[in-house]
Amino acid sequence: VSRVVEETAGEPADSFLMRELLLPMKVQEAAFSRCPRNHPIGATGLYIRSRDMVKLGWLYVNGGMYEGKRLISDRWISEEECGGLAFRSCGVDGLRGKGGMYGQMLMFSRDKGFAAAWHSFTPDRRDEGLPGFIGGLF
């Protein structure tokens, strides 16, 4: 996917995403993994702090808007809600999320106006307790 973005945007996907998405959201630190040919890896490999990661969830909660500016199109938000392109249902009505290696997680609900992100370390790469606990709050 990142190679498609690179060809379409005329620049590496990480540069495009930094300029068009992460900097407007005032993300302070972010880095992307790169393949052996030095292309950013798509769909994984974003290194970001929890306080910045939660802004991505908040962007979806607000239908692609951040501080009054549209950063993601209505169409992308609709596609995401219908097809789960980036985020999956977390088994609780309206709660969606995406996990990372060793327990990193972003969860949000447009219905509840809620977003949360955290980093943890679980050797088995799962932390079933916390998503279930957050789901129980609703």
Side-chain angles (χ1 to χ4, degrees):
V1 171
S2 71
R3 296 292 301 274
V4 172
V5 171
E6 185 173 330
E7 289 297 318
T8 303
E11 65 183 306
D14 56 352
S15 298
F16 175 78
L17 289 171
M18 286 296 286
R19 186 185 69 250
E20 297 294 326
L21 186 66
L22 301 178
L23 289 176
M25 293 174 52
K26 301 177 180 100
V27 168
Q28 293 181 358
E29 291 183 54
F32 292 81
S33 294
R34 290 181 165 266
C35 77
R37 293 186 177 187
N38 203 29
H39 296 284
I41 297 173
T44 186
L46 171 61
Y47 298 89
I48 191 169
R49 299 180 322 169
S50 295
R51 72 169 96 181
D52 290 328
M53 183 169 41
V54 76
K55 293 175 183 180
L56 295 170
W58 196 242
L59 182 64
Y60 278 88
V61 168
N62 288 291
M65 301 289 289
Y66 188 81
E67 294 186 346
K69 183 178 178 186
R70 176 152 306 280
L71 299 180
I72 298 178
S73 71
D74 286 327
R75 182 176 176 194
W76 179 264
I77 297 292
S78 294
E79 291 287 333
E80 169 54 41
E81 288 176 337
C82 294
L85 299 171
F87 302 103
R88 295 185 178 165
S89 172
C90 294
V92 177
D93 189 37
L95 195 60
R96 300 184 64 74
K98 173 123 176 97
M101 268 191 339
Y102 303 115
Q104 294 81 1
M105 188 67 156
L106 168 63
M107 297 179 90
F108 63 91
S109 170
R110 288 191 72 190
D111 297 339
K112 307 290 184 186
F114 166 84
W118 65 89
H119 285 75
S120 62
F121 177 78
T122 52
D124 62 0
R125 297 183 174 193
R126 301 185 75 79
D127 186 355
E128 300 295 338
L130 193 52
F133 171 76
I134 289 175
L137 296 175
F138 299 111

